[in-house]
Amino acid sequence: MKAAEPERVIRRRPKNRRAQIAATSAAAFGSLGYHGVSMEDIAARLGISSAALYRHYPSKYALFREELLRLGQVTVNAATLPEEAADWTPRERLSHLLDALIAETIANRSTVALTRWEGRYLDDDDRAVLNGQFAQAVRTLRRLIGAVRPELDGHDRAVRAATVLSIITSIGDHHAAMPAKPLTALLHSACDRVIDCELPPAAEALAPVRTVEIPQSFKHELLLKKAVELFHERGYPNVSMEDIAAAADLSAASAVYRYYRSKSDLLAAAFRRAADRVSGAIGPATASSSSAAEALTKLIDLYVSGSFAERELTFVYYAEFGHVSPEERTVLRNIQRLIVAEWVRLLVAVRPELSEGEARILVHAAFGLVVDLGRVFGDDPRICPPARVIRLMEVTLFGLEATAPAS
C-alpha cells in the first residue's frame, strides 16, 4: 500500500505584511538607532528573507523615514483641537492638548526619542518636513500657553513650550515603568508647573561659562574635544578618524592612535567624562549640605553649569549611547543608575509624597530638559540662560511650590 503523501502547507502572505514590517523596523530603530539596524536584521525579526523585505520597502532609509514622519504627524494630530474646543476655556484647551500629547507619547514610547536624537540622519527635504510638523505643534502649544498667560512674551512662551515637550518626551529616554494613568497625571502636573511658574528675566542672568581653549600641544585633550564637536555636528557614524585628526591638526589618522585605540575609544572616553562630571558632584554636594533640599539644589546648579560649559558633550551623551561598545555600555549604565538613584533618594526625602518610581520619572525629565533647551536655544542669553534652566529643573523636581523649598 502506497504511503500517504504529507499534506502540503500553503503559506499565504499576511494581508498586513507592510504594517508588520513598519512596526518591526520601528521597534528595531527605537532600541538600536538608525545605524545599528540593517535590512537583514529586520528581515530576521520578521522571519522572512531580505528579498521579501525589499519587495515592500526599497531601503532601510525608507523605513526610517516612514517612522519619523509618522511620529511627526502623530504629534500634529495630538496638537489639533477638536471642534468643540471652541467653547472651552483657555485652560481646558491647554489641558486637553497636554493629555493628547502625553497619550501619544506613551503609545509610541519605544520610538519617540528617534525624532530628537536621530532626526538629523534624514535627508534635507525629509528633515524639513519633520521640523515643519513639530513647528506646527509647537505653534499651537505656544498659542495656548499665551491664552492662559497673556502677560508672557514670545520668548517666555517658547521656553515653556520647549520644556513641556521635553518633559513629556523624556519618557522615551529611559525604561522606568509606571501605569499609564498615574504617569499621565505626573507628567501633566509637571507641565502645569512649568507653564504657571515665574522665570527670572533673561537680562538678569549671567552668560554661560564656556571651557577654556585647549592648547594645540595637549593632544590627548584636544583630540577628545574635537571628536566630541564632530560627533555633535555630524553624528558618530559620519565621523572618521581622518576627520578627527584633521580637526586636531594632526597629519594623519595614524597619529590619533598614539592617544586612543579607536574611534569607539574616543566615544567611550567622552561618555566617561560626562558620567564622572555628574557622579563626582554628588559626594561633595551631600557632604556640604544640611538637608536633602540643599544638596539637591546644589546638584541642580552644578548639573546646569556643567552642561552649559560642555554643551556638545551633553548632547552626545544622549544621542550616541547606542554606539558605545557593549562592555562600556554596561559600565556606563551602572554609573547612570547610581546617579539617578541618588537624585531619587534626595528628591523623595524632599517630597515624601512621591514614590520612588514617580521621583525617577521626574529626575529623568529634569535631566532631559537641560539638553533639550540647549538643543533648541543654544547658549542665547536672551532666551534661556543658565538661571532659567536651573529654575525649570527646580520647578520640575520640587513640585507644587514651583521653587526649591527652604533648606
Side-chain angles (χ1 to χ4, degrees), residues 23-211:
T24 301
S25 63
F29 292 138
S31 61
L32 300 172
Y34 175 59
H35 289 92
V37 178
S38 68
M39 289 292 268
E40 289 72 22
D41 295 332
I42 297 169
R45 290 186 179 214
L46 287 159
I48 63 176
S49 67
S50 297
L53 184 56
Y54 281 109
R55 281 199 292 268
H56 294 276
Y57 288 92
S59 65
K60 180 180 76 168
Y61 179 82
L63 283 160
F64 179 68
R65 171 189 181 276
E66 181 169 302
E67 176 59 15
L68 264 66
L69 296 188
R70 183 192 71 82
L71 290 168
Q73 189 58 49
V74 162
T75 306
V76 170
N77 294 344
T80 302
L81 296 173
E83 291 183 7
E84 59 267 27
D87 299 324
W88 298 347
T89 66
R91 180 67 71 171
E92 287 171 337
R93 290 195 290 270
L94 180 56
S95 183
H96 173 90
L97 180 115
L98 292 178
D99 280 342
L101 287 172
I102 293 169
E104 290 296 351
T105 302
I106 292 173
N108 294 278
R109 185 175 181 179
S110 63
T111 59
V112 71
L114 289 172
T115 58
R116 293 157 76 203
W117 314 122
E118 304 267 308
R120 58 182 165 167
Y121 297 125
L122 289 172
D123 291 345
D124 290 345
D125 290 345
D126 293 331
R127 188 165 62 252
V129 172
L130 181 67
N131 290 341
Q133 291 171 323
F134 277 95
Q136 182 179 342
V138 169
R139 281 195 298 270
T140 302
L141 182 54
R142 289 175 62 178
R143 176 173 55 81
L144 293 177
I145 291 173
V148 170
R149 296 199 60 188
E151 77 280 9
L152 298 178
D153 65 21
H155 285 168
D156 268 350
R157 298 175 191 181
V159 168
R160 292 165 204 270
T163 305
V164 163
L165 287 176
S166 177
I167 287 172
I168 293 172
T169 58
S170 67
I171 63 171
D173 294 328
H174 58 86
H175 301 289
M178 182 180 292
K181 189 173 181 179
L183 177 57
T184 298
L186 183 69
L187 295 174
H188 193 134
S189 178
C191 291
D192 281 342
R193 295 188 194 106
V194 163
I195 293 165
D196 293 334
C197 76
E198 297 303 320
L199 296 178
E204 296 179 7
L206 296 175
V209 178
R210 301 295 291 176
T211 51

Side-chain angles (χ1 to χ4, degrees), residues 288 317 337 374 406:
S288 63
Y317 188 83
R337 287 192 190 100

